[in-house]
Amino acid sequence: MMDQKQEMYEFVNRGDEHYMAHISIDSVIFGFHANQLKVLLVKIRHDDRWALPGGFVRKEETMEEAADRVLRERTGLNNIFLRQFHVFSDIHRSNTEKFLELMRSEGIEVKKNNWLTQRFISVGFYALVNYEDAIPSSNWDSEVCEWFDLQNVGELILDHNKIIESALETMRRQLNFQPIGYNLLPEKFTMPELQRLYETILGKTLDRRNFQRKMLGYGILDRLEERRKGGAHKAPYLYKFNLEQYQKALKEGLQGGW
Amino acid sequence: MMDQKQEMYEFVNRGDEHYMAHISIDSVIFGFHANQLKVLLVKIRHDDRWALPGGFVRKEETMEEAADRVLRERTGLNNIFLRQFHVFSDIHRSNTEKFLELMRSEGIEVKKNNWLTQRFISVGFYALVNYEDAIPSSNWDSEVCEWFDLQNVGELILDHNKIIESALETMRRQLNFQPIGYNLLPEKFTMPELQRLYETILGKTLDRRNFQRKMLGYGILDRLEERRKGGAHKAPYLYKFNLEQYQKALKEGLQGGW
DNA sequence: TTATCAATGTGTTTTACTGACACAATGATA
DNA sequence: TATCATTGTGTCAGTAAAACACATTGATAA
């Protein structure tokens, strides 16, 4: 078994044997917990800042498979909702100087024209995971991996703030066409929880009563007999998505704007 | 001035000095004419089939700049509506054998590990052009370049049929958020023409009277005093987009579904 | 010259949906 | 046991959508 430094050396100096040059993926992994939309970030070594989990594309992988692999490595989850949404290809989006500095800090020699010092274009993906199920995990190229409140991500490296913004906008537009509620919420949830999710994604408040009427009108929710106990107030009903009806409704798009 | 064969030789054997390996763009260039949605295609040399206009990405270009350059080369048009919509990265989407066969036909020597024999992922773009203004032009790597009715493109090379389908679906989803009518129609147009455009994109017929009421309700059209003469029937009014109002309305999205 | 006819311009009616709002029920806490 | 924030349910007016009818126009054909 290789140690961490050797693993890094191999990747830096021989990665181009297995990975495609110039092409990377970055994933905005969303979760929802305590009425907050969360994003999974990783801490860069020798840098105060955080970054989106990302990775490179093996020569025998599609972009989707690469994104799926990165997601699995970071959350332990399989078969997760994952969609590409934009290609980021600004000329100066990579930062070769930072990379070389990091390698110096790690004591790793980098030869001229190393594949990682060249320009990378990155395909942005967004993933929707059940917060409870995900187990944030770091690896050899990141110190820490943890959830952040969306409003609280601070300044990230490179164009990663822009990528998150773009992912959020995509999700907003696709709210009526993708099973976003289903993938972000646990199996059972309350109507207020679903509403908070919608409000967070849309960035505006919605009328509680109209929201419920419209949601139930779609016929995609099954109300359970249980209620959520433990809150300081009236116990709300629990709901489940009726997956069959949900899928059917999404094909045409849920009708009406927010 | 290089002749055509020499130009091709240079591109094939030294293109990797100027272009990025593994990355290409393909553009679905839409036009609208005679109540038909059109797509611009190019004819492949030594092959019966047609293809989407595409190209490679210069080392100093963004994806958008590359797509813009290709569009300019094929239509003569500048400053055109152009949006990326999906990355196509299937492992076997390239066809190295076909490429080598083509090179043999042209009598061009291809060395082992030539950059063009490697895997390419392609970023799909769609463009909306004014049919009247575009001047379809071929170049050294394509025999012919011309418009096809969307329903009539036949079997294209590689995954290009799939790319068109994906572009059309994207356009359908973005109909209320992008100035699609403005970019596809000439400056002056009639309400029935606008309706045919919507119907073609959506793939369904719309009620004439409801369409007009809704369209005018947006306040994005100015009716002119002129009418379109020459038809066999009652002469319809001509309209223009009120660009200022249109842009403003698109920011929030045109309300209501189709 | 005039009747024809397909296509356009302009309504109306009915129904469904949205937005704004009011009040009763619940259940932990004080 | 009273309090109170939160949830469950209902109403009403205004708006938008779907379905539909009739008059107008202008080239074409009789």
Side-chain angles (χ1 to χ4, degrees), chain A residues 6-208:
Chain A
Q6 193 183 342
E7 190 171 357
M8 195 181 291
Y9 182 89
E10 286 292 321
F11 179 79
V12 169
N13 286 299
R14 275 201 275 281
D16 55 349
E17 293 172 19
H18 302 293
Y19 293 89
M20 298 218 287
H22 302 301
I23 301 173
S24 62
I25 68 108
D26 285 294
S27 288
V28 184
I29 302 174
F30 288 109
F32 192 68
H33 178 69
N35 281 337
Q36 286 286 331
L37 202 50
K38 306 271 189 178
V39 186
L40 198 64
L41 297 179
V42 298
K43 172 76 173 54
I44 299 296
R45 286 179 194 282
H46 306 286
D47 194 318
D48 289 339
R49 291 173 307 166
W50 294 71
L52 290 173
F56 301 94
V57 184
R58 295 186 65 89
K59 293 187 173 180
E60 72 282 6
E61 275 179 337
T62 64
M63 303 304 295
E64 280 74 14
E65 287 162 351
D68 204 57
R69 174 173 50 77
V70 168
L71 180 61
R72 194 167 54 246
E73 288 168 2
R74 285 286 167 278
T75 64
L77 297 176
N78 258 320
N79 277 102
I80 289 300
F81 181 95
L82 186 63
R83 295 283 186 279
Q84 50 160 285
F85 63 92
H86 197 79
V87 180
F88 297 87
S89 64
D90 279 4
I91 297 291
H92 301 108
R93 62 177 301 282
S94 318
N95 190 334
T96 302
E97 274 316 307
K98 265 283 177 198
F99 167 71
L100 291 175
E101 194 180 302
L102 168 61
M103 290 301 110
R104 272 194 297 275
S105 307
E106 294 285 338
I108 289 179
E109 178 198 6
V110 177
K111 300 213 173 65
K112 271 268 184 223
N113 292 324
N114 178 285
W115 70 297
L116 288 171
T117 64
Q118 295 168 4
R119 174 187 173 194
F120 272 83
I121 69 158
S122 191
V123 180
F125 280 78
Y126 76 98
L128 307 178
V129 311
N130 183 337
Y131 181 89
E132 318 289 345
D133 296 345
I135 303 165
S137 313
S138 63
N139 70 353
W140 59 266
D141 74 352
S142 54
E143 284 177 340
V144 197
C145 176
E146 57 187 45
W147 290 107
F148 279 69
D149 280 1
L150 185 61
Q151 296 89 334
N152 211 21
V153 295
E155 191 196 338
L156 308 180
I157 64 164
L158 305 180
D159 52 0
H160 288 196
N161 289 93
K162 186 174 140 194
I163 294 178
I164 290 182
E165 193 50 50
S166 176
L168 190 62
E169 199 186 311
T170 302
M171 191 157 62
R172 204 173 286 154
R173 280 201 317 263
Q174 299 189 345
L175 198 50
N176 283 356
F177 299 90
Q178 300 286 359
I180 289 179
Y182 178 75
N183 285 287
L184 276 177
L185 291 172
E187 193 191 355
K188 301 173 182 181
F189 53 89
T190 67
M191 191 61 73
E193 284 166 358
L194 183 59
Q195 185 180 341
R196 300 293 166 262
L197 174 57
Y198 269 67
E199 289 179 334
T200 312
I201 293 173
L202 295 167
K204 64 179 175 189
T205 57
L206 301 169
D207 183 279
R208 187 172 64 82

Side-chain angles (χ1 to χ4, degrees), chain A residues 20-23 57-65 84-91 119 121 123 173-174 177 252 255 257, chain B residues 20-23 57-65 84-91 119 121 123 173-174 177 255 257-258:
Chain A
M20 298 218 287
H22 302 301
I23 301 173
V57 184
R58 295 186 65 89
K59 293 187 173 180
E60 72 282 6
E61 275 179 337
T62 64
M63 303 304 295
E64 280 74 14
E65 287 162 351
Q84 50 160 285
F85 63 92
H86 197 79
V87 180
F88 297 87
S89 64
D90 279 4
I91 297 291
R119 174 187 173 194
I121 69 158
V123 180
R173 280 201 317 263
Q174 299 189 345
F177 299 90
E252 296 299 307
Q255 293 310 306
Chain B
M20 298 218 287
H22 302 301
I23 302 174
V57 184
R58 296 187 63 89
K59 293 187 172 179
E60 72 281 6
E61 275 178 338
T62 65
M63 304 304 296
E64 280 74 13
E65 286 162 351
Q84 51 160 285
F85 63 93
H86 197 79
V87 180
F88 298 87
S89 64
D90 280 3
I91 297 292
R119 174 186 174 196
I121 70 158
V123 180
R173 280 202 316 266
Q174 299 189 345
F177 299 90
Q255 293 310 307
W258 297 101

Side-chain angles (χ1 to χ4, degrees), chain B residues 167-181:
Chain B
L168 190 61
E169 199 186 309
T170 302
M171 190 159 60
R172 203 173 289 153
R173 280 202 316 266
Q174 299 189 345
L175 197 51
N176 282 357
F177 299 90
Q178 299 286 359
I180 290 179

